[in-house]
């Protein structure tokens, strides 16, 4: 029997080694196939992700939609109305942020375009007056109009490339919109019949997977669901609080672009640790083009607000809900950014928290089982000693 198990293990390892060699040998072909498969299934994956986020809102809407009512029409319309309200709520939040940020952002770029040359000339005059740098005269003597004319000529010469890039970008945008709507429709179907889908998935697992494996899979799913939902709710709540405090504080201190910068910092605060600082850097640069002293005061204000957020708001709102130490949060954000950009930064923390919880629970379980063995062994030894003594 042991020989058969050993032979089976050897065969499995040989097959795995062969597959690894083939994967290395045909890596480019396999990578191309993986990209094509990802493009094919992207809409469905996007729909599943949208369904998961909407489900967090939908479950809470259903609790307030005439709970305990015996009216058949209300009970039959509960799911559809909850899905519609969840979609409208998300779209309203996106429209509100866009309405606050985009117009002010356009004005800000216009102000930056007008004020940067003036700011540089003033800075060069200050440097020359204080004999701080020898290059001040060179900066002051820059002919900005000539530079703008050269930039326009360069833009005209590359108009063909810009046109091709524009067509490619328009195609990508149209494809993204189509994928989004397909994913949204798929998400609505998932939310409409999620109970039936859960039942079907359970039947399939019971038919093809052992009971121990089903228990492990359920544990993984519950841990991931708890971590992701806690992270999404906590991070969104924390972003709203931070954006509101930033806007109110900037209005009280009479900083320019208060609604835009507050909304932008709130949106970037969805990215843990580094998000709010990215928004603050953009806001400080915009204020710098208007009033350098207010830009310095804004930086001080953001530092104080970040300390308040990090020590009071974040522990209370998000706290230990994700169960991941700070050093691993930073590592997850860094690795996620390198692998998937902004999306990787958003997903890196809950994924790392899920893995951390699973490993921690497994380690604790193994350590507890190892502690029980010596105790049981000592008890059996004492029992054998008593029997021998008798």
């Amino acid at each position: 029997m042991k020989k058969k198990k050993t032979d089976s293990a050897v065969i499995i390892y040989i097959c795995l080694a062969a597959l690894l060699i083939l994967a290395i040998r045909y890596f480019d072909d396999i990578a191309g196939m993986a990209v094509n498969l990802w493009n094919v299934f992207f809409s469905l994956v996007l729909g599943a992700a949208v369904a998961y986020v909407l489900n967090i809102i939908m479950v809470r809407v259903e609790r307030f939609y005439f709970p305990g009512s015996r009216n058949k029409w209300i009970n039959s319309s509960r799911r559809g109305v909850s899905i519609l309200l969840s979609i409208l709520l998300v779209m309203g939040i996106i429209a509100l942020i866009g309405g606050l940020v985009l117009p002010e952002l356009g004005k800000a770029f216009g102000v930056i375009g007008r004020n940067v040359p003036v700011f540089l000339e003033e800075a060069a005059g200050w440097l020359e007056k204080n004999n701080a740098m020898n290059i001040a005269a060179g900066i002051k003597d820059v002919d900005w109009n000539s530079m703008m004319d050269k930039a326009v000529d360069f833009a005209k010469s590359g108009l063909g490339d810009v046109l091709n890039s524009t067509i490619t970008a328009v195609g990508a945008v149209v494809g993204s919109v189509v994928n989004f709507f397909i994913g949204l429709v798929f998400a609505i179907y998932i939310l409409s019949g999620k109970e039936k889908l859960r039942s079907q998935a359970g039947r399939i697992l019971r038919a093809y997977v052992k009971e121990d494996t089903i228990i492990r899979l359920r544990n993984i799913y519950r841990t991931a669901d708890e971590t992701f939902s806690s992270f999404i709710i906590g991070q969104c709540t924390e972003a709203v609080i931070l954006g509101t405090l930033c806007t109110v504080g900037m209005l009280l201190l009479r900083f320019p672009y208060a609604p835009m910068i507050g909304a932008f910092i709130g949106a970037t605060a969805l990215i843990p640790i580094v998000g709010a600082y990215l928004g603050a850097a953009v806001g400080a640069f915009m204020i710098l083009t208007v009033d350098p002293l207010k830009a310095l005061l804004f930086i001080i204000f953001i530092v104080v607000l970040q300390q308040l957020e990090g020590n009071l708001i974040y522990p209370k709102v998000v706290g230990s809900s994700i169960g991941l130490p700070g050093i691993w949060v930073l590592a997850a954000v860094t690795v996620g950014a390198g692998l998937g950009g902004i999306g990787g930064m958003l997903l890196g923390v809950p994924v790392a928290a899920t893995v951390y919880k699973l490993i921690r629970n497994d380690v604790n379980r193994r350590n507890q089982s190892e502690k029980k063995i010596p105790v049981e062994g000592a008890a059996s030894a004492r029992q054998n000693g008593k029997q021998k003594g008798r």
Side-chain angles (χ1 to χ4, degrees), residues 57-75:
I57 304 174
M58 187 191 73
V59 170
R60 286 156 179 80
V61 173
E62 286 181 338
R63 295 175 184 173
F64 293 96
Y65 185 78
F66 302 104
S69 176
R70 297 182 179 180
N71 189 297
K72 293 182 179 180
W73 185 86
I74 291 177
N75 292 330

Side-chain angles (χ1 to χ4, degrees), residues 166-205:
T166 302
I167 294 174
T168 303
V170 170
V173 170
V174 172
S176 299
V177 172
V178 171
N179 287 331
F180 173 76
F181 278 103
I182 294 175
L184 181 60
V185 172
F186 186 64
I188 294 174
Y189 274 102
I190 292 176
L191 294 174
S192 300
K194 65 175 186 177
E195 289 83 4
K196 185 177 180 180
L197 291 173
R198 185 184 295 114
S199 175
Q200 291 175 346
R203 292 175 60 187
I204 292 173
L205 286 175

Side-chain angles (χ1 to χ4, degrees), residues 54 57 61 80-96 184:
L54 290 178
I57 304 174
V61 173
V81 173
S82 299
I83 293 174
L84 179 61
L85 291 177
S86 301
I87 295 174
L88 292 177
L89 180 61
V90 173
M91 292 178 64
I93 294 173
I94 295 174
L96 178 62
L184 181 60

